[in-house]
């Protein structure tokens, strides 16, 4: 595995984590690809604009997002990340918390920037 690419993905994952914690819509906009497809733990599918709108309106508030393990696989200009996190926050004002596993697909854009093109979350029982 190319350690340079792996470090770029680790850095991008940390930027994403911090952006989610702060509902930093500008940073999220930079990290999420326009064609993002994200499947949440309830089976719902959202796109980039849905995600940005949820953070912009405070529909989603993330208070804690602590990773406990991460696996990264690099395939050329694509990286797949599986990360387990403890998440706490609010959705539509309702508090919740739990352990989740996120799978994210990062792709190198034509302008040579890593962006999330697909993702999935699942509740860890």
């Amino acid at each position: 595995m190319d350690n340079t690419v792996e470090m770029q993905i680790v850095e991008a994952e940390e930027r994403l984590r911090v952006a989610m914690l702060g509902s930093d819509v500008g940073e999220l906009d930079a990290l999420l690809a326009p064609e993002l497809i994200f499947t949440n733990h309830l089976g719902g599918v959202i796109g980039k604009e849905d995600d940005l709108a949820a953070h912009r309106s405070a529909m989603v508030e993330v208070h804690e997002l602590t990773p406990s393990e991460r696996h990264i696989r690099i395939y050329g200009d694509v990286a797949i990340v599986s990360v387990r996190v403890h998440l706490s926050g609010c959705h539509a004002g309702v508090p919740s918390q739990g352990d989740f596993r996120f799978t994210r697909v990062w792709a190198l854009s034509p302008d040579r920037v890593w962006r999330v093109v697909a993702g999935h979350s699942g509740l860890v029982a």
Side-chain angles (χ1 to χ4, degrees):
M1 180 183 320
D2 183 339
N3 288 334
T4 302
V5 172
E6 183 175 358
M7 286 308 304
Q8 291 173 2
I9 297 303
V10 168
E11 290 170 8
E13 280 280 316
E14 180 60 12
R15 285 176 57 203
L16 181 63
R17 188 184 78 79
V18 170
M20 290 171 67
L21 282 166
S23 286
D24 184 339
V25 174
E27 183 74 342
L28 291 168
D29 185 41
L31 292 167
L32 303 177
E35 64 274 15
L36 173 72
I37 298 171
F38 183 81
T39 305
N40 67 29
H41 68 288
L42 299 173
V45 177
I46 66 169
K48 176 179 178 171
E49 291 308 317
D50 301 316
D51 190 54
L52 295 179
H55 281 278
R56 196 177 287 118
S57 69
M59 172 73 76
V60 170
E61 296 177 40
V62 180
H63 302 139
E64 179 186 357
L65 192 59
T66 307
S68 60
E69 67 178 80
R70 179 176 46 222
H71 306 276
I72 300 172
R73 301 292 182 266
I74 309 293
Y75 302 96
D77 289 347
V78 173
I80 299 171
V81 176
S82 175
V83 60
R84 182 178 177 153
V85 299
H86 181 75
L87 186 149
S88 69
C90 294
H91 185 271
V94 179
S96 65
Q97 69 172 339
D99 288 336
F100 291 82
R101 168 99 35 210
F102 286 86
T103 302
R104 282 187 276 271
V105 179
W106 293 84
L108 201 54
S109 68
D111 58 346
R112 308 305 290 167
V113 175
W114 289 103
R115 291 195 176 92
V116 180
V117 294
H120 182 272
S121 66
L123 188 59
V124 176

